Amino acid sequence: MHRSSPGVRDPGIVGAQRETISMKCVYHPGYAVTLPLGHPFPISKSEILKEIVLREGLVAGSDFLVPDPIDLDSLALIHTREYLAKLDGPGLSGAEQRRLGLPWSEALWLRSRLATGGTLLAARVALTEGIAANLAGGTHHAFADHAEGFCVVNDVAVAIAKLCEEGRIERAVVIDLDVHQGNGTAAIFEHVAEVFTFSMHGERNYPLQKMRSNLDISLPAGMGDEDYLEVLQEHLPEVLERSRADIAFYLAGVDVAAGDRYGKLALSEDGIRRRDEQVIGSVRTRGMPLVIVLAGGYAASRVRTAQLHVHAIRAATGRGAAVSIRDASAAVERGE
């Protein structure tokens, strides 16, 4: 059963003609932790994104929500107790840190629990208000029993499991448009009929060993805007129809952008804007609650990564083609 959003009219109209709406965003200062100088993961992008969103007036300060760290019992709905005991105790070994790609710390463990709590909070809000975003999350490479690819715990999987446990939903769909396949999410839900996983990703990119989603679409290196959007339009309606979901989770990764450090695709900024409008409009026209999480993005700077992420927030609030991202965030960029 789809739950429509009260007070939101014509949610599927995108671009300049779409009515603007208010939307809750979830953020915590603990989303940023200290990493070694030069580390490629732009962990402070959430803070920069919040600044841009506030500067543009996309979300009011009063509409920002602060999450609590997720509890271990909720994490155990997806992750093994043995793995959680390690995370909550001695931490990860050297080999496990190399697989993760991040140095282990108590701050990173807290960040992982905060971000997962943030995705769950955004999902609960979306079920009542129609749409919400977490300015973190999308850690789709985390498996039930191990970390990899900058992902410690799988926030979207935990949120889905928790909502099911609470009786708030019966079915969910994961729309994963990060350039890397959501291998952890696919493995976790491979035999769970109530969760439909859709991943559209680079064919010859990390992870080398792909897991099996309900629908996997592999893309050749160098694919640009028109071909990408045509493939998305071909498959997205089918995904939404087949899933029969009560809620959708959109992993709005921006590592599909041309020049991304780890991407290998070639979408322009306008292509990312159109992608976000297409996904958000398609989901909302169906009256399906939607949760937006960031997933990946490795542009030349943290600011540039945040500038690309803001398109999803602008599309969600009905302001997808209103002003230039570069102009609106110039003050933030000068301060980097």
Side-chain angles (χ1 to χ4, degrees), residues 2-305:
H2 297 165
R3 297 171 174 85
S4 60
S5 169
V8 180
R9 292 174 291 172
D10 294 331
I13 302 174
V14 296
Q17 288 75 42
R18 177 179 165 181
E19 182 180 357
T20 59
I21 65 170
S22 62
M23 183 181 73
K24 297 291 192 301
C25 281
V26 182
Y27 170 80
H28 195 287
Y31 286 176
V33 302
T34 301
L35 295 178
L37 186 65
H39 194 282
F41 187 69
I43 204 159
S44 63
K45 69 179 182 179
S46 298
E47 179 183 6
I48 298 168
L49 178 58
K50 181 186 179 184
E51 292 180 29
I52 296 173
V53 165
L54 288 172
R55 284 178 187 275
E56 291 195 14
L58 298 175
V59 177
S62 59
D63 283 329
F64 272 92
L65 305 177
V66 179
D68 293 321
I70 197 80
D71 61 279
L72 290 177
D73 285 340
S74 295
L75 288 172
L77 294 172
I78 292 296
H79 295 284
T80 66
R81 288 287 184 180
E82 293 78 9
Y83 178 50
L84 293 176
K86 184 181 298 183
L87 296 177
D88 202 46
L92 300 180
S93 68
E96 289 166 328
Q97 291 180 62
R98 287 189 291 275
R99 188 174 193 178
L100 170 61
L102 293 169
W104 181 252
S105 67
E106 286 296 324
L108 181 63
W109 173 221
L110 176 58
R111 178 199 189 270
S112 302
R113 287 180 288 135
L114 284 169
T116 304
T119 296
L120 177 59
L121 176 57
R124 287 170 171 161
V125 170
L127 286 173
T128 59
E129 299 190 12
I131 191 167
N134 183 18
L135 301 192
T139 46
H140 59 168
H141 298 310
F143 284 71
D145 61 353
H146 70 269
E148 64 177 65
F150 302 152
C151 301
V152 177
V153 294
N154 197 307
D155 63 300
V156 168
V158 171
I160 291 171
K162 188 66 175 177
L163 294 178
C164 288
E165 182 192 53
E166 294 171 345
R168 295 173 185 252
I169 65 168
E170 294 180 358
R171 304 180 65 88
V173 60
V174 180
I175 303 166
D176 190 340
L177 299 190
D178 188 280
V179 79
H180 306 105
Q181 194 218 27
N183 56 338
T185 309
I188 287 167
F189 290 126
E190 182 175 1
H191 302 295
V192 179
E194 293 78 16
V195 180
F196 191 101
T197 53
F198 169 49
S199 181
M200 204 166 113
H201 51 263
E203 180 178 16
R204 297 191 176 183
N205 207 328
Y206 179 91
L208 294 179
Q209 182 179 357
K210 307 294 193 288
M211 299 292 106
R212 186 167 62 182
S213 308
N214 289 100
L215 180 60
D216 284 301
I217 304 298
S218 297
L219 308 173
M223 178 177 275
D225 293 354
E226 300 310 321
D227 289 339
Y228 182 98
L229 294 170
E230 183 178 341
V231 172
L232 179 60
Q233 181 55 43
E234 178 183 353
H235 295 287
L236 184 58
E238 172 196 357
V239 167
L240 296 177
E241 184 65 30
R242 287 176 58 189
S243 70
R244 298 181 288 114
D246 301 313
I247 191 169
F249 290 80
Y250 174 35
L251 278 68
V254 296
D255 40 12
V256 295
D260 186 272
R261 179 171 184 164
Y262 298 125
K264 300 183 181 180
L265 296 187
L267 269 68
S268 68
E269 182 169 358
D270 185 62
I272 290 173
R273 175 187 65 80
R274 290 162 63 194
R275 177 201 69 171
D276 290 343
E277 291 183 347
Q278 185 174 332
V279 172
I280 292 167
S282 296
V283 173
R284 297 300 296 125
T285 3
R286 292 172 175 263
M288 189 183 294
L290 175 63
V291 184
I292 301 167
V293 294
L294 299 190
Y298 310 93
S301 71
R302 295 166 297 142
V303 168
R304 183 61 183 147
T305 301

